[in-house]
Amino acid sequence: MKVFKFGGASVKDADSVRNMSKIIQAYQTDKLIVVVSAMGKITNALEELLSLTMEEREVTTPLEAIKDFHQTIINDLGISSDEVLKKDIAEVFEQLENGLNEFSSSMGYDYMYDQTVSLGEILSTKIIASYLNNQGIAASWLDARKVVKTDSLHRQAIVDWGASQAMIKSQIKRSIEEGIVITQGFIGSNSDFKSTTLGREGSDFSAAIFATSVNAESVTIWKDVPGVLNADPKKFANTVLYEKLPYKEAAEMTYYGASVIHPKTIKPLAQKGIPLYVRSFQSPEDSGTTIEESIVPNLAPAIIHKDGQTVISFKISDFSFINEHHIHLIFEHIKRLNLTINLMQNSAISFTVCMDDDPKKREQLRTALMDEFLIYYNEGLEMITIKNYNQDSINELMKDKQIIIEQRSRNNFQMVYKV
Ligand code: ASP
């Protein structure tokens, strides 16, 4: 069995769905589980809808835009006469509208978010399953909320691996007999059968959950890039495609902020030795990148860029030195506020961290520690990490930059600079 994952960009209009269907057709003889995201930018549109509802503002226009977007795709695909699809889509929108009408702040934003935003994936997979069947590709629709079980940490739900794997395994065994299985990424449900989501861009992780449950032969993520590149082509010229990457390298790249694969995807696949292919849906004949257990000598330096960074320094003003007590105190509050450090450095009298900028939490951190330290910060910064650096790559990237912090270890070089 193989698992394919198609993200929003690969199903953003009727032409993309036709292209996806062609790719699937080429693998029709394989047993396939196809994990799909919401179409195009629908997750953002649903987030916006919920924000407007919370602010008690009018939602008719954006809601109609979401309906029209899906209806146009249905019409363009020539499946508007599918009565079952028509009924299913109408039901999803009814559920969406009822949910928004009943919204009250006592329900909690994160809970409502999951009930609202998860519907994007339901819409996309209903349409795609209908289209594939219309094309003569037998496809059965599976509700991921029935089989991906999680806790109730809405928007960042933690997967119950034991329950999910058992349910996926037994459900897929039945569904796969009917043909290709079309299911949703990103979503699951808690023990009360309420929808949960796994974090933005979480569909890659869903693909890994399905793959490990059925001991799949491989996972393929179909993307709008040729594979895993050594840098973001939108930001850097002359990028290099990795034909092969060890799991460890790929996982570390996601840790430093490479957005090509969701950070939680690699670990479960590596534990089961399931290879991950990252390939282009625009040129499906190319083999892209293979991520698996391997030794790849002389990997090109990977350049990972992160914007929206802030550097905060905690200084001691009484002529004593930074010690474990101070660092412990700083970390206690960083942990309490659920902040993540991207880089840290200490000197005799100060401790400095670089983090994703969150002005609200930064202020909370400052308030909590202002009696102990003099606190300084810079915001609006960017960070570059070079994995497997060489001096040329550092020189090239440091050119013309006003560096705030730089740091290097045996394999990694990091710098934070002013934009
Ligand atoms: N639709 C979700 C998002 O846009 C999940 C995903 O695409 O991976 O974040």
Side-chain angles (χ1 to χ4, degrees), residues 92-117:
V92 177
F93 279 111
E94 199 183 307
Q95 200 183 330
L96 175 62
E97 279 174 68
N98 289 344
L100 295 175
N101 289 336
E102 286 159 17
F103 177 79
S104 82
S105 48
S106 64
M107 290 172 175
Y109 174 74
D110 291 352
Y111 166 80
M112 258 328 274
Y113 179 99
D114 284 357
Q115 312 319 307
T116 308
V117 173

Side-chain angles (χ1 to χ4, degrees), residues 98-151:
N98 289 344
L100 295 175
N101 289 336
E102 286 159 17
F103 177 79
S104 82
S105 48
S106 64
M107 290 172 175
Y109 174 74
D110 291 352
Y111 166 80
M112 258 328 274
Y113 179 99
D114 284 357
Q115 312 319 307
T116 308
V117 173
S118 57
L119 297 176
E121 268 70 12
I122 302 295
L123 290 167
S124 73
T125 50
K126 287 279 182 190
I127 296 171
I128 287 158
S130 163
Y131 179 68
L132 292 176
N133 283 308
N134 174 278
Q135 293 299 294
I137 305 171
S140 68
W141 183 84
L142 170 65
D143 190 340
R145 295 170 299 186
K146 295 223 167 93
V147 291
V148 176
K149 299 307 295 179
T150 70
D151 68 359

Side-chain angles (χ1 to χ4, degrees), residues 13 17 27 46 71 74 87 98 111 144 161-162 171 214 221 223 232 249 256 259 262 272 280 325 369 390:
D13 52 25
V17 175
Y27 291 87
L46 290 167
Q71 195 54 48
I74 293 172
K87 190 173 135 283
N98 289 344
Y111 166 80
W161 285 93
Q171 183 58 51
V214 298
I221 298 182
K223 305 239 1 154
D232 181 349
E249 286 291 332
Y256 291 116
S259 59
H262 188 273
K272 289 236 170 176
S280 160
H325 158 77
L369 292 165
N390 54 42

Side-chain angles (χ1 to χ4, degrees), residues 176-218:
I176 207 83
E177 295 306 319
E178 294 164 36
I180 287 161
V181 177
I182 303 291
T183 193
Q184 308 80 42
F186 180 54
I187 67 175
S189 73
N190 66 11
S191 53
D192 297 328
F193 299 98
K194 295 292 181 199
S195 299
T196 53
T197 62
L198 308 176
R200 286 301 306 262
E201 312 289 333
S203 294
D204 294 350
F205 181 40
S206 300
I209 298 168
F210 278 94
T212 53
S213 306
V214 298
N215 275 323
E217 173 189 329
S218 63

Side-chain angles (χ1 to χ4, degrees), residues 232-344:
D232 181 349
K234 290 185 200 114
K235 296 216 159 68
F236 300 95
N238 308 322
T239 52
V240 179
L241 173 77
Y242 295 113
E243 282 176 14
K244 196 179 262 210
L245 272 179
Y247 288 122
K248 197 174 144 295
E249 286 291 332
E252 283 179 27
M253 281 165 68
T254 67
Y255 171 84
Y256 291 116
S259 59
V260 64
I261 310 160
H262 188 273
K264 288 187 182 165
T265 312
I266 310 279
K267 183 177 167 191
L269 296 179
Q271 282 172 336
K272 289 236 170 176
I274 299 171
L276 172 62
Y277 305 119
V278 182
R279 297 175 64 180
S280 160
F281 60 77
Q282 287 144 341
S283 48
E285 55 295 339
D286 295 341
S287 49
T289 302
T290 302
I291 301 168
E292 62 185 359
E293 196 58 60
S294 51
I295 296 165
V296 186
N298 306 320
L299 273 174
I303 302 159
I304 303 139
H305 175 274
K306 250 179 183 268
D307 51 21
Q309 300 297 296
T310 186
V311 163
I312 311 177
S313 294
F314 304 89
K315 281 201 170 170
I316 294 180
S317 56
D318 64 358
F319 290 96
S320 62
F321 298 129
I322 280 277
N323 62 26
E324 287 65 22
H325 158 77
H326 300 115
I327 295 175
H328 182 256
L329 195 64
I330 295 167
F331 269 85
E332 207 169 81
H333 289 284
I334 286 177
K335 182 164 181 283
R336 178 178 61 81
L337 293 166
N338 206 10
L339 290 161
T340 309
I341 297 174
N342 297 327
L343 181 152
M344 57 188 153

